[in-house]
């Protein structure tokens, strides 16, 4: 199964976990390249990243201390309807990456992605439980198929930007 690489390094301030890259993203060779996907504009409009860029420059995300996305990949042959379902092997791979790269914040792009990963229901927003020492935020999916309005998604992305900034400030004031 052709897929896209993870853009990761140790000490990231934010890691975003998504589901399998869409067929259009794999064809384009870049994350969130699907028509109507609001991921890249949301990152900029919310203040998560300081300058606008789009999927052709997806590798630049690492310049801002953000890894995106580590994907909970399903194996070859997974049906289109099961794309959002994260199978145990894929979740295990994502967990290992999160444990190894120790980000300050982990954001899940979509409630279904987090619920399948954590095996429990959730609400959007900051979660009570940390994950490998990282705070966890669940975002509304940026997929063009998501019925939630742009203003609701942007509200959550802004809260994520504030959380990332707070964790950065705490870490800077208490160097380890």
């Amino acid at each position: 199964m052709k897929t896209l690489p993870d853009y990761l390094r140790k000490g990231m301030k934010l890691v975003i976990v998504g589901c399998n890259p869409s067929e259009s993203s794999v064809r384009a060779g870049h994350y969130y390249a699907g028509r109507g996907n609001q991921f890249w504009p949301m990152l900029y409009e919310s203040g998560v990243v300081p300058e606008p860029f789009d999927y052709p420059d997806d590798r630049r995300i690492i310049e801002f201390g953000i890894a995106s996305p580590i994907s909970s990949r399903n194996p070859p042959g997974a049906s289109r309807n099961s794309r959002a379902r994260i199978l145990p092997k894929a979740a295990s791979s994502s967990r290992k990456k999160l444990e190894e790269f120790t980000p300050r914040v982990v954001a899940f792009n979509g409630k279904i992605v987090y619920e399948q990963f954590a095996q429990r229901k959730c609400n959007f927003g900051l979660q009570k439980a940390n994950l490998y020492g990282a705070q966890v935020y669940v975002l509304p999916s940026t997929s063009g198929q998501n019925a939630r309005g742009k203003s609701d998604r942007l509200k959550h992305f802004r809260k994520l930007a504030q959380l990332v900034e707070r964790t950065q400030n705490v870490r800077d004031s208490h160097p380890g």
Side-chain angles (χ1 to χ4, degrees), residues 68-172:
S68 176
I70 66 170
S71 299
S72 295
R73 296 180 177 97
N74 287 328
S79 75
R80 183 178 187 134
N81 291 335
S82 69
R83 202 179 108 209
R85 237 184 94 217
I86 299 171
L87 302 177
K89 186 175 179 181
S92 175
S93 172
S94 294
R95 283 186 181 93
K96 286 177 186 173
K97 290 174 189 175
L98 292 172
E99 185 175 23
E100 177 183 351
F101 290 97
T102 62
R104 296 177 193 125
V105 177
V106 177
F108 286 81
N109 189 2
K111 194 173 170 181
I112 291 172
V113 176
Y114 178 78
E115 288 177 348
Q116 290 292 323
F117 182 93
Q119 295 296 298
R120 65 176 168 263
K121 295 285 185 189
C122 71
N123 292 315
F124 292 113
L126 185 62
Q127 303 302 298
K128 290 179 184 175
N130 286 359
L131 189 58
Y132 304 109
Q135 294 190 50
V136 178
Y137 198 98
V138 176
L139 297 161
S141 170
T142 57
S143 167
Q145 297 174 350
N146 184 355
R148 289 182 97 72
K150 179 181 177 180
S151 63
D152 187 52
R153 283 186 253 177
L154 188 55
K155 174 186 79 170
H156 282 285
F157 269 79
R158 285 183 175 141
K159 287 180 179 182
L160 173 63
Q162 293 166 354
L163 174 63
V164 169
E165 187 171 328
R166 278 194 313 272
T167 61
Q168 178 72 35
N169 292 340
V170 167
R171 180 130 336 156
D172 289 347

Side-chain angles (χ1 to χ4, degrees), residues 1-6 19-22 25-26 29 31 71 73-74:
M1 178 170 108
K2 186 177 177 191
T3 192
L4 300 171
D6 293 327
C19 199
N20 289 353
S22 68
S25 288
V26 172
Y31 287 103
S71 299
R73 296 180 177 97
N74 287 328

